[in-house]
Amino acid sequence: HRFLPAANRDSKSSYVRLRGGTAALWPPLGAAQPQRSSPQRAPTHKAKNSITSRRMLNWLRRPDAKELGNSAFKEKNLDEAVLQYTRGLELCQGTAQTEERSKLLANRSAAHAKLGDYEAALADAEEAARLQPDWPKAWARKGKALTCLQRHKAAASAYARGLEMALTLMQKNDERHERELEALQKQAKTASDSYMALLGETETLKRQLEDYTLMFGERETGGKAKAG
């Protein structure tokens, strides 16, 4: 047997001498080549640390219940927002979590108010103000709930308390609370205007009642005079 031309040779095959002096390719052309398995390397100490670090970062980046609630609130998924804030409150225990509990309660109060559950909104706002009495937003939430309940006098008082707290905090950090103060001023003015309008309506009704009583009394007196 003659050797095959170079164009027909397999680079992975080689000629072997057979008995009788003949030569042949081995393995034959077209035969499946055995796969060499590369040994698997065990992860080094550096690789292990890198994997652990990625897992830790992923855990730290997970949004907490308050963030999930805020996202749901922005998307107007209010029931989901209430659920997430409630879960956050269940996980928030102990005096060390007082500030976080107050924020969760204030946020849940806002969600309740959007849903029209004003009594629940007021309860959360009052608890938030109790936990953090120097936080203006807690009083703003209370004022909002009271306004929705048509309790304008109490709402004006709550807004005034929030305004007082905001002014106190502004003395420590003017820039941080400037926008909060402006918002509270507008809300307090709205509540005061509503209360004054309510007083005006009360006075109008009172005068109408007096006029009606006077007119009714005159007619009754006139009738008696004619009878005499």
Side-chain angles (χ1 to χ4, degrees), residues 1 5 16 29 34 42 54 72 111 141 185 203 206:
H1 297 284
V16 294
L29 287 173
R54 286 199 301 270
R141 294 283 187 260
Q185 285 176 333
E203 290 296 324
K206 184 179 179 181

Side-chain angles (χ1 to χ4, degrees), residues 47-184:
K48 289 181 179 179
N49 289 341
S50 177
I51 294 172
T52 304
S53 299
R54 286 199 301 270
R55 289 176 178 173
M56 182 63 72
L57 286 173
N58 290 335
W59 185 84
L60 292 173
R61 288 170 182 167
R62 289 188 309 171
D64 58 13
K66 186 175 72 174
E67 291 176 350
L68 292 172
N70 291 344
S71 298
F73 187 88
K74 290 178 181 179
E75 295 172 1
K76 298 183 179 180
N77 189 355
L78 301 175
D79 290 323
E80 178 66 17
V82 170
L83 177 63
Q84 292 298 335
Y85 293 141
T86 302
R87 287 177 178 173
L89 287 166
E90 291 172 354
L91 298 172
C92 231
Q93 302 295 334
T95 55
Q97 302 291 331
T98 299
E99 182 177 345
E100 187 67 14
R101 284 186 62 83
S102 180
K103 291 179 179 179
L104 285 165
L105 285 164
N107 290 356
R108 193 172 71 173
S109 174
H112 279 313
K114 288 284 186 180
L115 286 168
D117 192 354
Y118 304 131
E119 291 291 349
L122 178 60
D124 280 349
E126 287 180 335
E127 181 64 11
R130 185 190 71 80
L131 291 173
Q132 204 173 1
D134 59 345
W135 188 34
K137 186 175 286 187
W139 295 101
R141 294 283 187 260
K142 183 177 179 179
K144 175 65 174 179
L146 288 167
T147 300
C148 293
L149 290 169
Q150 302 298 315
R151 295 168 59 181
H152 299 295
K153 184 176 181 180
S157 178
Y159 281 129
R161 182 67 182 275
L163 187 60
E164 179 184 355
M165 294 300 101
L167 287 170
T168 302
L169 291 174
M170 275 191 63
Q171 293 176 358
K172 300 177 182 179
N173 191 345
D174 293 341
E175 294 181 0
R176 180 182 176 184
H177 299 285
E178 184 176 356
R179 288 181 296 180
E180 196 167 18
L181 173 63
E182 292 176 355
L184 278 168

